[in-house]
Amino acid sequence: MSAPNIETIVSLAKRRGFVFPSSEIYGGLGSAWDYGPLGVEICNNVKQAWWRWMVHERDDMEGIDSSIILNRLVWKYSGHEDTFSDPLVDCRECNARLRADKLNLTEKGKEELIVAGHHELADLPETERTLKTWALNIKDGRLKCPNCGSTNLTEPRSFNLMFRTTIGAVADEDDPTALAYLRPETAQGIFINFANVLTTMRRKIPFGIAQIGKSFRNEVTPGNFIFRTREFEQMEMEYFVRPGEDERVHQEWIDYCFNWFITLGINASNLRFYEQPKEELAHYAKRTVDIHYRFFPEREEDERQWDELMGIANRTDFDLKAHSKKPEDAEGKRINPDSTEDLSYFDEATKERYYPYVIEPAAGVNRTVLAVLMDAYSERTNDKGEKRVILKLHPSLAPIKAAVLPLAKNKPEIVGMAKAIKRSLQPTMRAVYDDTGGIGKLYARQDEIGTPFCITVDHQSLEDEAVTVRDRDTWEQERVKVADLQQHLLARLQPAVRSEQGV
Ligand code: GAP
């Protein structure tokens, strides 16, 4: 079983301290969320699992952590200033602000939607072509508002998604020399450091550079809890290969990535591949395959149940060329007159110089957390006929690994022993002590937040130096000597603790 809808997770997340609406005491801030005590733990565990799998366990990988605010020229030459925009449309009937690519099809649209490659528009620059395509579809009544069904929509206009800021003590907020952006992807920080990493780490192609960090997009239609927000975290890796090897390596990464989500405990039947059609491809991509998760199981139509968890793109040599001083266009003019570096690569083995192709697996931390929470959600009825929620998280992702509970909180010897056990576990795992309710209530609370083990200290423990270890998923209990407890839990938590220690 998994969560029946995102709303179930929103309510659990707020009730149990995973995620809170941001700025709540001032009325909130649209689609912004704060991660609470358990949320920050699960986010950190997802990032550690990714870093271990992507960087530590491989021989061909390095990691970096680049700035969020980069020189504006990075975004000029990456193409983001010109093309990182959404087509914005207003509904004249209900005043909703909409993305043209999220409008619904009318009956006419279902029969004959014009696509971006339409012959009359084929010669236009990309952004203009996309806008004109949507404009034609809207004018001819092929699209309608998803809120009220009206076809009375404005012409689409281009809205750049990058957040703008100014650098330094500027007199004028619009001073173009002070303009900068918050990064909309972590990837560009990797491309501009390609030569630095290559030379300092004495790497040869093929190899990859990984990065985890915040990205920002002024999304037109954020929503669905932490699925689409304006501030989010990405886990991206750029893998540099010889041109010609790109298609094979791309396919390999598509398969590795799918399997990684399975190792996190996500059910394969809630994951699928999605091959992006040509008209959806980003300006830099030759082929992109997304991994979708069933984020909306409550929707009737199967196709509408899925959305993107991760994208794996073949970015060709677009980025390294775009940031290089060397390449020239057809008329022999430098493509990039501002860069001071040539990011081509000299292959010692073949004595060839080329611009490496790039394969990019890019996942969202927040969407991975949402998918993991939805997939782990289950319900069970106890002996008294009461419904209990159990979050069957993979142990490596569980925010708390062990909860130590005293059976009698008014017995100082029992409380003292329970607190000492909790302290002895702390160096190797996240453990907590809780005496704020009866034992049934305490078990239920730990089940609901996904704690794999509850350790109960009772009167007998004072005599036999043993405790009861209760399993979250089976509710089975076994007696374990306190002296053996740490090893017992570590063995059952593997590889959970490996991930915490970053081994
Ligand atoms: N460098 C390529 C890139 O950024 P993307 O498909 O736009 O590709 C990669 O983003 C991943 O980042 C997505 O698959 C998704 O998990 C996450 N992501 C993108 N926009 C997001 C948003 N507004 N809110 C939350 N996560 C987002």
Side-chain angles (χ1 to χ4, degrees), residues 76-93:
K76 172 177 172 181
Y77 289 105
S78 69
H80 284 77
E81 274 197 337
D82 283 342
T83 62
F84 195 62
S85 46
D86 274 347
L88 194 69
V89 169
D90 290 316
C91 173
R92 291 198 184 93
E93 291 300 324

Side-chain angles (χ1 to χ4, degrees), residues 185 217 219 227-229 232 234 236 308-309 360 364:
E185 61 169 12
R217 295 180 190 175
E219 298 280 3
F227 177 81
R228 182 171 285 107
T229 48
F232 55 98
Q234 291 186 305
E236 298 200 289
E308 181 184 337
L309 175 59
E360 176 194 66

Side-chain angles (χ1 to χ4, degrees), residues 84 184-187 217 219 226-234 236 238 276 284 290 308-311 315 360 362-368:
F84 195 62
E185 61 169 12
T186 64
R217 295 180 190 175
E219 298 280 3
I226 54 173
F227 177 81
R228 182 171 285 107
T229 48
R230 296 192 171 102
E231 172 180 343
F232 55 98
E233 216 164 0
Q234 291 186 305
E236 298 200 289
E238 311 301 324
Q276 284 193 10
Y284 49 71
D290 292 339
E308 181 184 337
L309 175 59
M310 178 179 204
R315 292 182 78 126
E360 176 194 66
V365 173
N366 320 77
R367 282 189 197 178
T368 305

Side-chain angles (χ1 to χ4, degrees), residues 158-179:
S158 184
F159 173 73
N160 194 293
L161 299 184
M162 285 195 289
F163 273 102
R164 297 152 71 98
T165 187
T166 46
I167 293 189
V170 284
D172 178 2
E173 292 272 304
D174 292 327
D175 181 354
T177 61
L179 175 63

